[in-house]
Every structure is written in C-alpha cells, then in structure tokens.
Amino acid sequence: MRSRRIVLTLTAVAMAGALAACGQAGSSGSGNGGGTASGKAGCAPVQGTDLVALTDDKKLQNSDNVIPAINEKAASPALVAALDKVSAALDSPTLIALNKQVDVERKTSQAAATGFVADKKLTDGLQKGSGAIVVGAANFAESQTLGEIYAQVLKAAGFSTSVKTVGNREAYLPALEKGELQVVPEYAATLTEFLSKGKATPDIDKTVAALTPLGKAKGLAFGKPAAATDQNAFAVTTAFAQKNGVKTLSDFAAKCSGQATILGGPPECKERPFCAPGLQKTYKLSYGSFTTLDSAGPLSKQALKAGKVSIALVLSSDGSLTTTS
C-alpha cells in the first residue's frame, strides 16, 4: 500500500479515524456485499491477463490530479513555467506507462524520467532560472519518478537540482513549508483534504481553487495540475470488458448489476462512501457478493486475473493497467 494514498477516501467526519485502516489488507473470502441484486443476472468474473480501469464517468471520486507543490519563496516564473510544462505533458496513460517501467519492467525512476523528458522534449524552450532546488519525493516509486522528472527539467532551466526521498506527507510537507525542500510532486484532492477535510471535490478546478488559499497560509504555491491522476478506480479484466461491452462504470452498472457480479476490495470498502456505497448511490450498482481483498494491491489484481471477482478496487495510475479495453 502506497504511503501517501488514502485509498478509501472518507467524508469529512469519518476521515481522521480511518487512515490506518485504509492501509490494511483484508483476508480473502466472500461475504454478503449488501447489494440489491435480487432477480438480476449480473456478470460473472472473466479470467484474463490484462486489466483495465473503467471510466468514472459520473465523478464518484475526488480529483487527485498530480500537481507541483512549491515553497512560495522559490516560486520564480522560470521555475513555475518549467513545472507547468511537465504538467502539460503528463496524462493518465503516460503516468501508467511510467509506473509500468518502474514497477513491472524494473527500470530505475531516474531512467524512466530521462526517457519521458527526452520523448516529450521538455527541456526545449525553457525560461532560464538559477539557484539550488531540492525536489522532495515520498517513499513510493511514482513520487520518486515524478521528482526525477521535475529535477531534470529544472536543471535544464538553469537550476542546480537534487532529489531527496523524505517519506510520507507528515514528513515532507513541513520540510517544504520551511524551505528545506523547494518542490514536491503532490496530489490535489489528497493534499486539500490533508489541509482541510471536506474541501476536495471531483472537479479539479474547484479542488485547486480550494487548495490555493490553504497552501498560501502554509507558505506554499502550486503549479498547474496535470491531467494525470492517482486515485481510486475500479478495474475489470480486458476480457471481461470485451465480453460485456463495458468501458465506464455507468456501462458496468447498467449491464452487470445482479447476482453473478462479485465486487472485490478491502474490508472497509463495504462501508466507505467512495467504495461500495458510492457505487450503489452514484451508479445504482447492485452486486451479488463481496470478496475481501487488499487495498488496491496484488491480491486485488490477482483475484481479477484469476476470475475470482468481476470488478475490484485499484489505483488509476497502477502500472499493471492497460490504457484501452
């Protein structure tokens, strides 16, 4: 489980007491999912080697777009422009591909970053800046890769850069506020909720509008958010998607509500508003049973591939996902 992620994002009232539980894996096994699938056929699991995340077309999840967080004193026009250029080139399929290189193909974060920067020509036409910039990264691969990308582009813009892996948000955010770090790759909704619970929304513009004054009060500024997100998502096998003709969660709810459908996720998924209850409320999804797995981890992906569950909770930037169904 990635240290930065609150996989099952909570409402404002419930979030504080549940952070630890969201990171704990559940034991395998099936149980009553609390769905309303009586009389409907549903869609049985389909084995497959490839996974695809279904589009959250009704915006159940909050907008956890990648966004550069900057110590306000370091936020020169040249630095912000360089980071904005990175954001403009970073969409979700690209982030999945970067994570695949590191998590699946076992490249280093530095090597994956170098290839991305060269492929997107991110060092061309940059404003020139100067000074020492320490880019902070959290202790998981995606953050470290993003940190390497930021550092390489800023170096091309004339800054003297280094990357420092700091740990979790509780460690790196104070360092960023104090100026011990100058830049950190962040996630818009998660940081907004960290600073003030209940302020994040599924709309990235509204989330950034809420985040900006919260950050300013801490001495922080922000670059533009990327299109790329790392947030809760629900995946099926590509074989399942093709057999049942589903690309979105609305498709899934319309075609697969019913007794044969098995939902997989961590044990708390059955109570959390952005997991099973959210699927039921926002998409009117019903399912026959629930299988207890881990929090968007290897057990969930293996259960999908083995045909044990029809749909399961994953992270939208997981390197094992395909970008087409």
Side-chain angles (χ1 to χ4, degrees):
M1 184 61 194
R2 299 176 189 174
S3 62
R4 80 147 185 101
R5 301 297 294 140
I6 303 170
V7 172
L8 300 176
T9 310
L10 307 179
T11 59
V13 174
M15 182 178 287
L19 296 181
C22 291
Q24 296 173 350
S27 58
S28 298
S30 298
N32 185 356
T36 55
S38 177
K40 298 180 182 179
C43 297
V46 178
Q47 291 182 356
T49 57
D50 299 319
L51 306 179
V52 61
L54 300 179
T55 301
D56 181 15
D57 53 307
K58 291 186 177 179
K59 305 295 184 185
L60 169 62
Q61 308 299 335
N62 283 335
S63 49
D64 236 352
N65 299 59
V66 176
I67 189 169
I70 310 163
N71 179 277
E72 195 171 39
K73 293 179 180 178
S76 67
L79 182 140
V80 174
L83 296 176
D84 285 349
K85 190 168 185 177
V86 175
S87 290
L90 193 63
D91 59 15
S92 287
T94 301
L95 186 57
I96 289 171
L98 285 166
N99 286 333
K100 181 179 181 181
Q101 289 179 51
V102 177
D103 296 336
V104 180
E105 298 170 4
R106 300 305 178 188
K107 291 184 179 180
T108 65
S109 286
Q110 186 177 42
T114 299
F116 171 74
V117 170
D119 181 60
K120 300 296 183 179
K121 297 179 170 56
L122 295 182
T123 60
D124 295 351
L126 296 171
Q127 296 181 38
K128 290 302 178 181
S130 61
I133 299 295
V134 181
V135 179
N139 54 356
F140 60 95
E142 179 179 290
S143 182
Q144 291 157 11
T145 302
L146 292 170
E148 290 286 350
I149 292 169
Y150 286 177
Q152 291 183 26
V153 174
L154 290 172
K155 183 177 181 180
F159 297 94
S160 174
T161 63
S162 60
V163 179
K164 182 177 182 180
T165 299
V166 180
N168 59 19
R169 184 170 287 104
E170 288 80 2
Y172 68 69
L173 195 59
L176 184 63
E177 293 170 13
K178 294 173 184 176
E180 296 168 359
L181 305 172
Q182 282 71 50
V183 178
V184 173
E186 260 292 1
Y187 301 86
T190 299
L191 180 58
T192 301
E193 289 296 296
F194 185 87
L195 295 175
S196 183
K197 296 177 181 64
K199 296 291 187 180
T201 78
D203 185 305
I204 184 57
D205 292 333
K206 292 180 179 178
T207 297
V208 172
L211 175 60
T212 300
L214 294 171
K216 187 173 180 60
K218 300 283 189 179
L220 304 180
F222 301 97
K224 293 179 180 178
T229 65
D230 182 354
Q231 60 194 42
N232 295 348
F234 292 91
V236 298
T237 62
T238 54
F240 180 103
Q242 291 162 2
K243 177 179 179 180
N244 294 290
V246 297
K247 292 186 177 181
T248 69
L249 285 172
S250 287
D251 293 340
F252 188 93
K255 297 180 179 183
C256 292
S257 287
Q259 289 291 340
T261 297
I262 304 172
L263 172 63
E268 59 269 27
C269 176
K270 291 189 287 183
E271 287 81 39
R272 298 292 158 77
F274 291 95
C275 204
L279 291 173
Q280 292 169 322
K281 181 178 180 180
T282 301
Y283 288 98
K284 312 304 180 189
L285 172 66
S286 61
Y287 54 92
S289 61
F290 180 89
T291 294
T292 301
L293 301 167
D294 55 7
S295 293
L299 291 179
S300 297
K301 289 176 280 188
Q302 183 55 38
L304 284 165
K305 292 177 180 180
K308 302 298 184 183
V309 295
S310 308
I311 186 171
L313 181 74
V314 297
L315 293 174
S316 64
S317 64
D318 193 299
S320 65
L321 295 174
T322 61
T323 55
T324 59
S325 60

